Amino acid sequence: MKALVFETFGGPEVLAYREIPAPEVKPGTVLVRLKAAGLNYADIYRRRGNYHLAGNPPYILGYEGAGFVEEAGPDAGGLKRGDRIAFCDVPHANAELVLVPAEKAIPLPDDTSFETAAAVLLQGMTAHYLTRDSYRVQTGDEVLVHAAAGGVGQLLVQLAKRQGARVLGLVSSEAKREAALAAGADEALLYGSNWVDAAKNWSTGGEGVSVAYDSVGSTLMDSFTAVRIKGAVVFFGMAGGDPAFVDPRMLMDTSKTLTGGDLWNHVTSREDRIRRADELFGWLRDGSLKLEQPRAFPLAEGADAHRLLESRQSTGKIILVP
């Protein structure tokens, strides 16, 4: 099979598209012929060497995708050749064939395309648990969303609005401000501005927002300043660098809450994966959740896709197509 691989850590130039042996089907797994794979910033970290990678090179990136079952092993949970499935936590997805444990296979409805599944699952489930589990957004909440024009950011904006909140987005350019507003944000601010004071002024009574969803990391203390007394900060990413240490005394004095967020602490069973995915697919179907058209690259041009994602010039999702 063909796969996008790398032998050493580094920039996009280390990626190569070449022939490698296909994985062998094992009990409890299915071999999936990939039709689309989602590109995520975690793939950048893994390529750079910031995240641990098991095994030996050549390494294959990618954890999210969708396609047809080509071959089913014994004890594959009833899955069979030809079934349409998607997944969001299976390694080595940047290849023509992917070995998927049956417990991580999500049935894909006929009216949901492979490209849509690859574009929505990982980021959609992230937005789902952030607004349902980490901090359950309620009607009347005022929500601050960092990187509101990105893949997770646009979905966070929509799910928070769907749950009755007012939403303020933070973005890095005027074009991204327009993308955040198009996703449904009530207002969007630029990082280059005095956004902390502006966010407080935007909130009811100037007291601060109810919750800030911070995926930037280096902005964590500013997020605390922007939330009201008894408000919450949900920290779920470090795209802008490591956060400062948080003084527990500040949390006590302000009655503010800091919550960490990691998807895999919340999505812990096949039943839970399918439940969350079905809700996302249903919201896409009824129009209450919308996806910006994903930017598709041939898998062979994966290095260019990485360059675009690293440039932070993209909005929405990037997918790779074999």
Side-chain angles (χ1 to χ4, degrees), residues 88-307:
C88 61
D89 56 348
V90 177
H92 310 147
N94 287 178
E96 291 178 322
L97 295 168
V98 184
L99 190 65
V100 177
E103 66 178 19
K104 296 184 177 182
I106 298 168
L108 187 60
D110 289 339
D111 62 356
T112 303
S113 71
F114 297 117
E115 293 78 11
T116 294
V120 76
L121 271 182
L122 194 146
Q123 293 179 338
M125 287 197 186
T126 298
H128 191 286
Y129 90 81
L130 288 170
T131 55
R132 297 298 183 93
D133 303 334
S134 297
Y135 177 96
R136 190 169 185 87
V137 175
Q138 306 282 341
T139 299
D141 279 342
E142 294 176 324
V143 175
L144 177 66
V145 176
H146 282 264
V152 174
Q154 290 192 37
L155 294 169
L156 265 176
V157 167
Q158 292 183 71
L159 293 192
K161 290 294 294 182
R162 195 178 187 281
Q163 289 164 225
R166 292 180 69 222
V167 179
L168 176 64
L170 286 172
V171 295
S172 59
S173 70
E174 194 60 42
K176 291 190 175 185
R177 180 175 183 272
E178 293 303 317
L181 294 172
D186 295 281
E187 180 57 279
L189 304 172
L190 297 179
Y191 279 112
S193 65
N194 183 2
W195 63 264
V196 176
D197 286 346
K200 295 185 75 169
N201 291 335
W202 175 85
S203 68
T204 301
E207 297 178 356
V209 298
S210 312
V211 59
Y213 286 103
D214 195 322
S215 58
V216 177
S218 58
T219 54
L220 190 66
M221 298 315 298
D222 287 335
S223 291
F224 271 111
T225 304
V227 302
R228 61 175 172 77
I229 297 296
K230 297 190 291 184
V233 174
V234 181
F235 166 55
F236 69 102
M238 298 176 290
D242 289 334
F245 287 103
V246 176
D247 182 357
R249 176 65 185 266
M250 179 274 290
L251 299 177
M252 182 182 75
D253 291 345
T254 61
S255 297
K256 295 179 182 180
T257 300
L258 172 63
T259 301
D262 183 273
L263 177 61
W264 311 125
N265 295 326
H266 294 270
V267 180
T268 56
S269 68
R270 188 180 189 216
E271 291 73 23
D272 189 65
R273 286 184 188 88
I274 292 173
R275 175 182 65 83
R276 294 180 193 266
D278 282 349
E279 288 196 358
L280 291 169
F281 296 150
W283 296 335
L284 288 169
R285 190 178 297 117
D286 68 22
S288 60
L289 182 65
K290 299 182 186 300
L291 278 183
E292 181 178 342
Q293 181 67 30
R295 175 77 179 272
F297 284 79
L299 186 56
E301 298 174 12
D304 290 335
H306 276 236
R307 290 186 185 96

Side-chain angles (χ1 to χ4, degrees), residues 292-297 305 308 314-320:
E292 181 178 342
Q293 181 67 30
R295 175 77 179 272
F297 284 79
L308 176 60
S314 63
T315 62
K317 185 76 171 186
I318 298 171
I319 62 173
L320 302 171

